[in-house]
């Protein structure tokens, strides 16, 4: 399925927020970077965007459509990202030592890498390469 550029950006931001939230949460609770099960749960876990900031740290208001988007991480390393009108699938990996979350989209060889700034079982904060962040909350 071909993903439109705005939807791809939104998915990227959603993933970024998710990763950032994950990293920050872990740093508050422990010295390590958490673990993959905090992202996926035992079988799967759904995350939704709750907050976004620009590279300069300014608050970037989420649209109602962005608030409806979600990403589901499965324990087997797959993910599904959905919005009102589109969906995308792929694989994910989490390097806890480097606090790096990588998403590889199926069918178009696109990869996204995020620094996980915060990670708990319920919150994840992802930082994109441009410095913007996305905070995700688990459902």
């Amino acid at each position: 399925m071909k993903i439109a550029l705005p939807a791809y950006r939104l998915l990227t931001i959603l993933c970024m927020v998710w990763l950032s939230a994950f990293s920050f949460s872990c740093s508050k609770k422990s010295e390590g970077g958490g673990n993959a099960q905090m992202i996926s749960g035992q079988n799967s876990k759904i995350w939704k965007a709750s907050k976004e900031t620009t590279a300069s740290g300014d608050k970037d208001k989420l649209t109602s459509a962005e608030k409806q988007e979600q990403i589901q991480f499965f324990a087997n390393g797959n993910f599904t990202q959905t919005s009102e009108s589109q969906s995308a699938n792929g694989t994910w990996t989490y390097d806890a030592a480097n606090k790096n979350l990588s998403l590889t989209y199926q069918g178009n060889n696109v990869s996204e890498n995020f620094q996980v700034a915060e990670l708990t079982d319920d919150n994840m904060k992802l930082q994109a390469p441009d410095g913007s962040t996305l905070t995700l909350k688990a459902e």
Side-chain angles (χ1 to χ4, degrees), residues 19-124:
L19 291 174
S20 296
F22 186 77
S23 294
F24 284 124
S25 299
C26 289
S27 64
K28 291 178 184 176
K29 292 193 172 191
S30 68
E31 293 293 317
N35 60 53
Q37 189 170 358
M38 294 175 85
I39 297 171
S40 68
Q42 203 164 8
N43 296 311
S44 73
K45 190 184 284 189
I46 295 173
W47 296 85
K48 287 189 174 187
S50 64
K51 182 179 170 184
E52 184 178 11
T53 63
T54 63
S56 61
D58 296 327
K59 201 174 200 179
D60 193 7
K61 186 175 180 181
L62 293 169
T63 66
S64 60
E66 288 173 326
K67 290 178 183 178
Q68 296 304 312
E69 293 180 1
Q70 65 183 33
I71 185 165
Q72 184 171 9
F73 289 89
F74 296 92
N76 67 1
N78 293 320
F79 74 87
T80 300
Q81 194 169 0
T82 58
S83 69
E84 287 182 1
S85 61
Q86 299 179 24
S87 68
N89 298 308
T91 58
W92 68 277
T93 59
Y94 178 60
D95 177 355
N98 293 313
K99 298 181 180 181
N100 185 44
L101 178 65
S102 297
L103 305 173
T104 303
Y105 290 86
Q106 181 180 27
N108 59 5
N109 295 325
V110 173
S111 292
E112 295 289 333
N113 294 299
F114 302 97
Q115 279 300 119
V116 179
E118 182 178 326
L119 179 60
T120 66
D121 287 329
D122 300 319
N123 295 294
M124 179 168 47

Side-chain angles (χ1 to χ4, degrees), residues 9-21:
R9 180 182 176 273
L10 180 58
L11 292 176
T12 300
I13 292 171
L14 181 61
C15 291
M16 180 179 66
V17 168
W18 179 74
L19 291 174
S20 296

